[in-house]
Amino acid sequence: MPPLRARYRPVPDDGALRLGDHRRYPGSRLLLTCAMCGWQKAYRPERAIDRLRQLKAGGHPTPVAALARRVAWPCPMCRRVKWRMELAQPADLDTREAKRLAGLYRN
Ligand SMILES: [Zn+2]
């Protein structure tokens, strides 16, 4: 399996991107990246939203980038705590698959 950075392409974010925006990017994942060593982990946006709602700590309107500050555990690779959170789209998503997934979210 290629590394996440090869499989996903971050969506440009000036800080205004919100969790709910994942619906505009079919197949997207939240990519947590260690700013120190580059270690990465992918999350399903729907699950992150559910979790935040359960904790009454946010949901669809929560800014994606702000989520990085909620991650308190150290990087398993370098043991430091400096995270970056991005929304990322599958790099190889073809047009037909994108349309199919967009249809799923509409219905
Ligand atoms: Zn690290």
Side-chain angles (χ1 to χ4, degrees):
M1 195 70 114
L4 286 168
R5 76 187 73 261
R7 285 185 283 145
Y8 287 93
R9 193 172 42 226
V11 172
D13 181 9
D14 57 6
L17 200 65
R18 292 167 189 281
L19 273 178
D21 291 329
H22 80 88
R23 287 168 294 191
R24 286 165 38 211
Y25 301 97
S28 59
R29 293 286 181 274
L30 287 168
L31 220 52
L32 179 68
T33 303
C34 173
M36 307 309 286
C37 76
W39 183 87
Q40 288 187 309
K41 186 171 169 59
Y43 295 92
R44 290 181 169 274
E46 297 89 343
R47 295 197 57 181
I49 290 167
D50 285 349
R51 184 84 185 121
L52 284 168
R53 289 169 62 101
Q54 272 169 20
L55 297 169
K56 301 198 191 308
H60 292 89
T62 301
V64 171
L67 279 179
R69 289 197 297 272
R70 295 186 54 91
V71 183
W73 44 273
C75 169
M77 205 70 148
C78 72
R79 298 280 148 205
R80 289 192 272 187
V81 189
K82 192 168 170 59
W83 299 105
R84 194 169 65 231
M85 189 71 88
E86 293 168 303
L87 191 67
Q89 274 192 299
D92 61 355
L93 192 69
D94 67 32
T95 316
R96 194 199 298 169
E97 178 66 359
K99 280 186 181 154
R100 189 187 71 81
L101 289 168
L104 287 180
Y105 287 122
R106 263 197 308 275
N107 299 331

